[in-house]
Every structure is written in C-alpha cells, then in structure tokens.
Amino acid sequence: MDILFKKNDISSSTALIVGIYENLLLTKTAKKINTLLNGGLLKALKSTDFNGKIGQTQELLPTEALQTKRLICLGLGKKEQNNELTACKIGAHAANALLTGGETAVSFATDDLPAAVVGFGAKIASYRFTKHKTVFKKPVTLKEFYVLTEKPQTAQNQYEPYFAISKGIHTARDLVNEPSNIINPIAFAKRAEELQKYGLTTEVYDEKQLKAKGLNMMLGVAQGSINPPRLVVVQWRGKPEDKNTHAVLVGKGVTFDSGGLSLKPAKGMEDMKEDLAGAATALGTLQALAMQRAKVNVAAVMAMVENMPSGTAQRPGDIVKSLAGITVEVVNTDAEGRLVLGDALWYAQERFKSPVLIDLASLTGAITIALGTDIAGLFSNDDKLAEQMKKAADDSGEKLWRMPLDDLFEDDIVSDIADIKNACSTRAAGSITAATFLKRFIRPETKWAHLDIAGVALREKNGLLGPKGGSGFGVWLLDKYIRDNLETKN
Ligand code: BES
Ligand code: MN
Ligand code: ZN
C-alpha cells in the first residue's frame, strides 16, 4: 500500500475517512461536512453509539450533497492526548478500517494531526507477509492511502524519515517471518549484502575466518548444524569525516534454535525461527538510518548460527575458550544465545571501540514470564544510557522496562571447572542471570544496554500496528534513540 499526500478536498472520488474527537467534537473537515449536510453528520452520529473514542468507526450513507464514494467517521480519542504515537495509531486505525474490505483507495482528512506520522501508522499497519501464500482468505485490497492535508509537499518531506523507518521495520519483520529453511546464516548474509544499495557496507566472515579470530563460543553453537555460521558486519557511515563509530548494535542471529542436544520440547518449537530477531532488528535499523542519510556512524554486528543437535553438536559439559579469553562450561546447549553474543560483543568492542554498545536478543523465555509480550527487558550498566533508551521507548510505544544487573547474581554463573558456566541450576531470575553472563564480556569503559526481546519479537495475534508474526520491535525505538542522542544536527 502506498502513502500519498494530497490537498484537503472533501469531494473525494475514493472512500473518505473523517476524524471525530471524543464526545463528538468535530474536526475542521467534519465541521465542513456537517455544514454541507445541514447538520446531518452530527444528527446521524447521535443516532448511533459512535462517540469518537480512538479507533471507533461509523459509516454513514451517501447523500446528494456530499460527493464522496463512501463516508466513514473515525474516532480520534481525546484531543489533548495528541502526540506522535497517537497520530501513528490513528493512521493505523484508518488503514485497518478499509484494508481488506474491497476498496482500492481511501482518503483520510488529517486536519490537526501530523499528516506524515498518520501515513507512517497506515504504512506499518498494512504490512502482510504473503509471499508463500497461493490462496488468500482476506487479501489486502487497499493500494493507495491518500493523506489529505493543507500542505501536501511539507507532509511528503516529513514523511521521508518515517518511510525509511517503515522499510526497516518491514525488513526486520520479513526476516523473522521467513522460515529457517529459507533464512539460514548464509541467506541472512545475502540479504544484508542486498542492502548495500542504500549505502551500507557489508562484511561477511565465514567459519574459517571466525576460527582464525577465535570466536569459539559462537563456533561451538554452530558446530551441530550443516548450515555454517556467518558473522555479518554492516556499517552506516553518515559522517565519513569522523573516524569514530558512535554506536554499535549487536544482534543475536540464531536462525533456528532447536535447543541443540539440550533439545527443546516439540510444542511451539516452530516459533524458534524467530531467534534471529535481534539481528533482524539491528539490520532493519541500519537500513532506516541509511535511507535517511543520518549524520551518524553506526555499525551492526550480527552473529548468525543455527543451533542443532547432531553427531557433531556441542555436548552439555563441553568447555570452550571465548574470544575474550574467558573459559566457559556449556552446561545447557539451549542457552546458546549468550554464547554467541559473548563473542560478538567482545568482537564489536575490540573492532570499533565505540562508546555505546546495544545488543538485541531473543534471549530468555523468562523475560516473557516477567514482562509479557508487549514490553522488552532493558539491562544497562549506565543510568544515562538507560534513561535515553527509556525515553525513546516511551515516545515510540516500543516499551522497555529496566531490569536489575546486580553483582549478587555473579555467583550463579561460576563454574566448578571453568571460569563461568552458561546456565544456572535454578530457573530463578533467568533473564538476569543471562544478562549477568553477557556483562562478563563488556569492558568497563563501554556504555552498554541489553534488550531482551524474546517476548515481543513475534506478535501472537493481529495487532493495531501489524499482523500476527514478526513485529519489527526495536527499529523505531533504536532509530529514535540514535537520531535524538547521537546524530549531529544539520
Ligand atoms: N531462544 C531462546 C529464548 C526464547 C524463548 C526466545 C521463547 C523466544 C521465545 C533461548 O535460546 C533459550 O532457549 N533460553 C533458555 C535458557 C535456559 C536454557 C537457561 C530459556 O529461556 O529457557
Ligand atoms: Mn536456546
Ligand atoms: Zn535461542
């Protein structure tokens, strides 16, 4: 579905959506229509239970006086509550109202709402992953979404960055939705290379190179699979005159997590195709930054492996020496994310020496027990970074809740015969012990944030801003954090 901006005009050849605030408070366009209909709009609405609550819709029958194909009233909620996120949600409601109903075009009069953000909400709500379907139950029929505004050119310009973010979100969603027989580490690396057309640079390291470098924790996870691992390093250098890298994103990219020899139960195992969500989000974020030509240098380090049981698989009890030199006893091969990330985090710090390091990982089932499926866990060794991430989370609606990283948990990961072990004897505070393991691979000077996105990466049911499946969680949030805090203005 394309988002197009047009001068406000109520004589629309398409279906027209007009906004109405709570308690039937009319927007400018609604007032115009009401006048045209001699008060008929309000009169008609009063005979229904439509009140203007956000997302509520009411279709009115066409009349001679108003030349529109169809007229749909959309509740905008309370007028005072208008911000970027509500405008985005209203755009999504508008798109969802007619997405699959047979209309091919719709116009939405935005009046006081920021037109560009409304377009963004409509765009991400219209995403569907249909490439493997040959039969459709409810196809998306809407092809053109006209955002009606007084200043279409201004809105079009303001839409550019939102368009970039929507593309990044859709990349992340696609990569999570694709099954593991299509996206393995090599296929992921190819997708990353395709994004070079936006000005990103991509390096791909194979298993021989990883061995030479010493990423043995990552290789240990990969060794049970016939699909070899890849370390994918993507960079956006929007400030080429500056040699520094302002932030590095590290993504867990387990293209399928069977658990390895510590095999997972069959029920729900199919969801483990989502276990590359951290890498998918990191890549989507870099795409968004590149498409905006953001004046900032950001790298993404994506550790791609498949975790499988086989005759070559790593055994519970094996000891590996990490890139950082710390020896690790692998007591549970299903706690593979922290192994892969430990090496990737160390590599990222040695290579880029960036002051800010953010990792994203579908790391623990325990984070879903703690925070559910709409809020991700935030762990950080730096209060300011945590505050900045929290602000970006609140603004984008991609919610974070800060979890504790207390030295107290370090005892839980001490191994009898190696330096540390990758899992604990109890399930208590599973997300915190996982984060504590990662912390061992963070240098004291690095400001680090870890986002445990296991609960939020895969939407369980259709939502306002996107359908069931890969959510793309984190792209908008990270784009916001980076542009608000690290990008050089003008
Ligand atoms: N990839 C899983 C975590 C996960 C669970 C992601 C559910 C998405 C949805 C991770 O590798 C894992 O298996 N974690 C274990 C750790 C345990 C063995 C210490 C877990 O959470 O059970
Ligand atoms: Mn696992
Ligand atoms: Zn995993």
Side-chain angles (χ1 to χ4, degrees):
M1 190 181 82
D2 291 327
I3 309 297
L4 304 147
F5 296 89
K6 229 167 68 174
K7 184 98 179 141
N8 214 353
D9 177 11
I10 53 172
S11 65
S12 168
S13 56
T14 71
L16 177 68
I17 300 179
V18 58
I20 300 192
Y21 289 106
E22 220 166 281
N23 299 322
L24 299 185
L25 185 64
L26 300 187
T27 54
K28 231 165 116 190
T29 305
K31 268 187 202 145
K32 245 199 259 173
I33 293 173
N34 194 42
T35 311
L36 207 68
L37 302 180
N38 290 321
L41 180 77
L42 263 184
K43 201 168 155 213
L45 286 176
K46 278 179 182 156
S47 71
T48 71
D49 59 7
F50 181 91
N51 166 278
K53 283 205 169 47
I54 190 161
Q56 217 184 354
T57 54
Q58 178 66 52
E59 177 150 11
L60 298 180
L61 291 175
T63 64
E64 283 295 313
L66 183 67
Q67 295 297 308
T68 68
K69 195 176 170 214
R70 287 168 70 178
L71 179 65
I72 292 122
C73 297
L74 173 68
L76 305 180
K78 290 200 175 61
K79 194 170 178 175
E80 319 75 72
Q81 283 173 358
N82 254 324
N83 58 29
E84 189 186 19
L85 184 56
T86 38
C88 167
K89 287 183 178 169
I90 288 166
H93 280 298
N96 288 337
L98 290 177
L99 203 58
T100 57
E103 296 292 344
T104 55
V106 63
S107 305
F108 177 32
T110 48
D111 295 299
D112 302 332
L113 298 168
V117 194
V118 168
F120 172 62
K123 181 79 186 168
I124 58 176
S126 72
Y127 171 90
R128 292 293 181 276
F129 186 70
T130 54
K131 62 183 282 205
H132 300 296
K133 270 206 172 292
T134 60
V135 190
F136 294 91
K137 257 197 191 149
K138 259 192 170 181
V140 171
T141 51
L142 215 52
K143 296 208 161 43
E144 287 153 357
F145 187 95
Y146 291 99
V147 185
L148 305 183
T149 164
E150 283 307 314
K151 293 183 176 154
Q153 191 54 50
T154 312
Q156 176 66 52
N157 296 344
Q158 288 169 344
Y159 180 63
E160 293 297 323
Y162 287 107
F163 178 69
I165 299 165
S166 76
K167 285 296 188 189
I169 292 173
H170 293 178
T171 293
R173 288 177 176 178
D174 282 348
L175 287 164
V176 168
N177 286 331
E178 284 287 16
S180 307
N181 61 330
I182 293 187
I183 295 292
N184 55 36
I186 291 176
F188 184 96
K190 284 213 185 86
R191 294 260 177 130
E193 279 168 346
E194 284 165 16
L195 298 181
Q196 295 191 109
K197 65 175 181 238
Y198 296 112
L200 297 168
T201 57
T202 305
E203 298 154 35
V204 179
Y205 298 102
D206 65 16
E207 61 275 31
K208 280 197 206 90
Q209 292 163 305
L210 296 178
K211 178 107 200 97
K213 288 184 200 298
L215 283 83
N216 298 319
M217 279 202 298
M218 178 175 166
L219 287 166
V221 174
Q223 78 189 33
S225 171
I226 54 162
N227 291 308
R230 292 291 183 266
L231 187 77
V232 182
V233 180
V234 173
Q235 292 187 67
W236 166 246
R237 302 203 75 85
K239 257 191 109 182
E241 70 284 4
D242 187 347
K243 291 293 159 251
N244 298 317
T245 301
H246 307 112
V248 183
L249 310 180
V250 173
K252 171 178 173 182
V254 178
T255 61
F256 187 71
D257 180 13
S258 69
L261 286 174
S262 313
L263 193 66
K264 285 184 181 293
K267 193 173 177 300
M269 204 204 269
E270 68 276 15
D271 283 351
M272 283 306 120
K273 68 172 186 179
E274 78 169 88
D275 216 17
L276 50 38
T281 302
L283 187 61
T285 305
L286 263 76
Q287 178 183 358
L289 293 170
M291 287 180 75
Q292 294 168 79
R293 328 259 3 125
K295 292 192 180 65
V296 64
N297 298 335
V298 180
V301 174
M302 292 156 287
M304 311 308 302
V305 295
E306 186 177 52
N307 186 24
M308 296 295 263
S310 76
T312 63
Q314 171 160 262
R315 290 147 292 252
D318 283 2
I319 293 178
V320 287
K321 186 161 194 163
S322 63
L323 179 63
I326 301 170
T327 56
V328 177
E329 184 187 3
V330 180
V331 295
N332 188 325
T333 64
D334 195 14
E336 85 298 339
R338 63 198 79 180
L339 299 173
V340 165
L341 280 173
D343 275 348
L345 285 165
W346 195 258
Y347 173 86
Q349 291 168 97
E350 281 203 318
R351 163 101 190 256
F352 293 106
K353 305 196 164 48
S354 161
V356 176
L357 183 67
I358 300 167
D359 79 72
L360 301 128
S362 50
L363 200 63
T364 65
I367 202 68
T368 316
I369 307 294
L371 301 177
T373 54
D374 289 308
I375 306 176
L378 164 68
F379 298 82
S380 183
N381 62 358
D382 186 86
D383 290 344
K384 189 170 159 217
L385 174 60
E387 273 310 307
Q388 290 168 334
M389 294 286 295
K390 191 80 173 62
K391 166 93 172 58
D394 291 343
D395 290 349
S396 64
E398 296 188 326
K399 294 184 182 163
L400 296 178
W401 187 258
R402 190 169 180 189
M403 304 282 290
L405 259 182
D406 198 297
D407 292 347
L408 179 79
F409 294 94
E410 305 224 354
D411 295 342
D412 296 338
I413 57 168
V414 174
S415 160
D416 294 334
I417 55 170
D419 297 335
I420 53 176
K421 58 184 178 182
N422 76 329
C424 318
S425 44
T426 76
R427 291 164 65 205
S431 305
I432 307 177
T433 49
T436 303
F437 182 96
L438 297 181
K439 199 176 87 180
R440 290 298 292 265
F441 298 88
I442 302 299
R443 293 181 171 180
E445 70 273 17
T446 307
K447 292 181 201 129
W448 166 63
H450 156 56
L451 271 51
D452 193 335
I453 57 172
V456 298
L458 203 68
R459 230 188 282 274
E460 289 172 322
K461 46 184 195 295
N462 291 335
L464 174 61
L465 297 178
K468 183 178 173 184
S471 65
F473 182 104
V475 174
W476 191 10
L477 150 72
L478 287 171
D479 180 88
K480 220 180 232 309
Y481 162 74
I482 290 167
R483 290 195 12 245
D484 287 353
N485 298 287
L486 305 176
E487 186 182 13
T488 312
K489 297 293 163 219
N490 61 66

